Amino acid sequence: MYFPDYRPRRLRRTPTLRRMVRETTLSVDDLIYPLFVAPGQGLKAPIAAMPGQYHFSVDTLVQEAVRARDLGLPAVLLFGLPETKDETGSSGYDPDGIVQRAVSAIKEKVDDLVVITDVCLCEYTSHGHCGLLQPDGQVDNDATLELLARQALTHVQAGADMVAPSDMMDGRVAEIRQVLDDEGFTHIPIMSYAAKFASAFYGPFREAAQSAPAFGDRKGYQMDPANAREALREVSLDIEEGADIIMVKPALPFLDVIARVRQEFDRPLAAYNVSGEYAMIKAAAERGWIDEKAVVIESLTGIKRAGADMILTYFAPDAARWIQE
Ligand code: PBG
């Protein structure tokens, strides 16, 4: 042995050295802020299971969008709570619907903010399922596609910069792409909820969007949390159909899926840090059991380290402030 005294050494980290060798940097540019818009005026109604999140009316939503832009956030994702619900979710594809009005109001007032809309029927159907129902209570995949495409088109006509189908019907990316292209919106990207698991972590969202299914569950069309190989197949199908950005959802319980999708596909990858992930941190922080800021930054950094290029998170405004500090 040439160097009998040699033994491997670990880095001793001073703050500056820590900055130099850091592999993952969380940036405000990575964050997308989900928002809920409801009928009314001057509304900012707290969502009980998601402390710090609100139902906004169009006017207060615009103010929140301004705040997001001023914090440097690049994008918001809109969910709608309509005035009326029916069997076919028609308030979802009404050109004068709540999300459509919200999009044009934001676009009128706020420059430099990418407005993404969630495309799904569950917020607009009386039964709370993500698609049309057959007489036997099963979701009618193919009949739903046309309505989703109509919804996406009305969002884009109102000014949406990107649409994000979250329904998990087969073929919806292709259908939406076709309709947008036919109407001259070839430049509008689709962010597809490609690997969306049937997760218990969506619990608080069901209150936020008032979209709990009236009967049954979503396991027929959302993925089994036990399956990672199937997630890769879902992603590859959505890419074939024309998805520009693909999403894994939820984020923290599915970091392995994020990492595998990152390795196998070259598309921009989004991860959705969902309502239950948010609520858990909020609840523990309120009790003083954890340090909220540190846990949020660690969680979001972990999601990015796993391979996500962008993160949809209700922590977006707080995280933006913390990152800039
Ligand atoms: C609509 C939709 C859901 C979420 C996003 N879009 C709920 C669901 O599929 O049950 C969940 C978001 C969250 O929990 O933060 N399909």
Side-chain angles (χ1 to χ4, degrees):
M1 204 116 43
Y2 280 120
F3 305 107
D5 290 338
Y6 175 78
R7 64 185 169 85
R9 285 171 198 279
R10 295 183 184 83
L11 279 171
R12 290 281 174 264
R13 287 147 206 258
T14 60
T16 309
L17 180 59
R18 199 158 65 218
R19 260 166 50 213
M20 291 169 69
V21 299
R22 179 166 292 153
E23 298 170 28
T24 308
T25 309
L26 190 64
S27 154
V28 179
D29 297 334
D30 306 328
L31 307 177
I32 301 172
Y33 181 22
L35 289 166
F36 300 93
V37 58
Q41 261 272 309
L43 180 78
K44 189 178 174 189
I47 298 167
M50 299 172 69
Q53 302 302 309
Y54 301 89
H55 291 138
F56 292 101
S57 49
V58 171
D59 54 324
T60 53
L61 181 82
V62 171
Q63 292 166 11
E64 187 66 4
V66 169
R67 188 173 80 95
R69 193 266 324 269
D70 291 347
L71 283 166
L73 292 169
V76 293
L77 169 70
L78 300 186
F79 293 97
L81 288 85
E83 219 132 342
T84 58
K85 303 191 185 205
D86 60 22
E87 285 281 299
T88 64
S90 60
S91 51
Y93 40 91
D94 177 353
D96 198 30
I98 184 79
V99 167
Q100 291 82 350
R101 279 186 284 125
V103 171
S104 44
I106 293 176
K107 280 285 142 188
E108 207 171 291
K109 285 269 159 53
V110 197
D111 302 325
D112 300 330
L113 185 70
V114 172
V115 177
I116 311 170
T117 56
D118 187 85
V119 174
C120 190
L121 293 191
C122 68
E123 296 133 67
Y124 308 96
T125 50
S126 42
H127 45 74
H129 278 286
C130 298
L132 287 178
L133 290 186
Q134 297 167 350
D136 65 0
Q138 294 295 307
V139 169
D140 187 340
N141 186 95
D142 292 5
T144 302
L145 299 180
E146 191 215 325
L147 301 184
L148 293 169
R150 248 158 87 180
Q151 187 184 16
L153 178 62
T154 56
H155 289 170
V156 171
Q157 284 166 336
D161 299 296
M162 191 187 304
V163 290
S166 72
D167 51 281
M168 289 300 274
M169 298 301 127
D170 281 345
R172 91 275 204 215
V173 174
E175 183 86 13
I176 291 170
R177 185 72 272 159
Q178 176 83 51
V179 168
L180 293 183
D181 288 355
D182 287 349
E183 297 293 325
F185 295 110
T186 50
H187 58 290
I188 297 291
I190 298 176
M191 168 155 61
S192 125
Y193 289 70
K196 177 172 174 179
F197 292 89
S199 169
F201 284 91
Y202 307 152
F205 179 90
R206 307 260 157 103
E207 178 206 335
Q210 292 164 10
S211 66
F215 63 90
D217 54 40
R218 304 200 206 289
K219 290 180 183 154
Y221 41 97
Q222 297 183 351
M223 290 187 51
D224 183 344
N227 292 4
R229 293 193 303 267
E230 188 189 6
L232 299 182
R233 182 165 159 70
E234 288 277 0
V235 168
S236 114
L237 289 173
D238 278 13
I239 289 175
E240 267 172 47
E241 288 184 29
D244 300 280
I245 300 174
I246 49 189
M247 192 201 297
V248 173
K249 177 184 168 198
L252 291 176
F254 297 92
L255 293 177
D256 61 320
V257 176
I258 294 171
R260 287 174 71 171
V261 171
R262 170 73 298 146
Q263 261 177 8
E264 304 236 353
F265 302 95
D266 60 4
R267 297 298 145 112
L269 173 58
Y272 201 140
N273 178 230
V274 302
S275 56
E277 299 173 62
Y278 177 83
M280 286 195 306
I281 291 179
K282 281 290 183 186
E286 258 171 31
R287 286 163 179 72
W289 291 345
I290 57 171
D291 172 347
E292 177 176 358
K293 173 179 163 183
V295 167
V296 168
I297 296 296
E298 184 176 324
S299 299
L300 298 178
T301 303
I303 295 166
K304 190 158 181 211
R305 190 194 62 239
D309 299 303
M310 54 196 106
I311 305 170
L312 300 107
T313 178
Y314 304 98
F315 288 114
D318 285 339
R321 278 193 295 108
W322 294 329
I323 290 168
Q324 274 150 3
E325 261 160 36

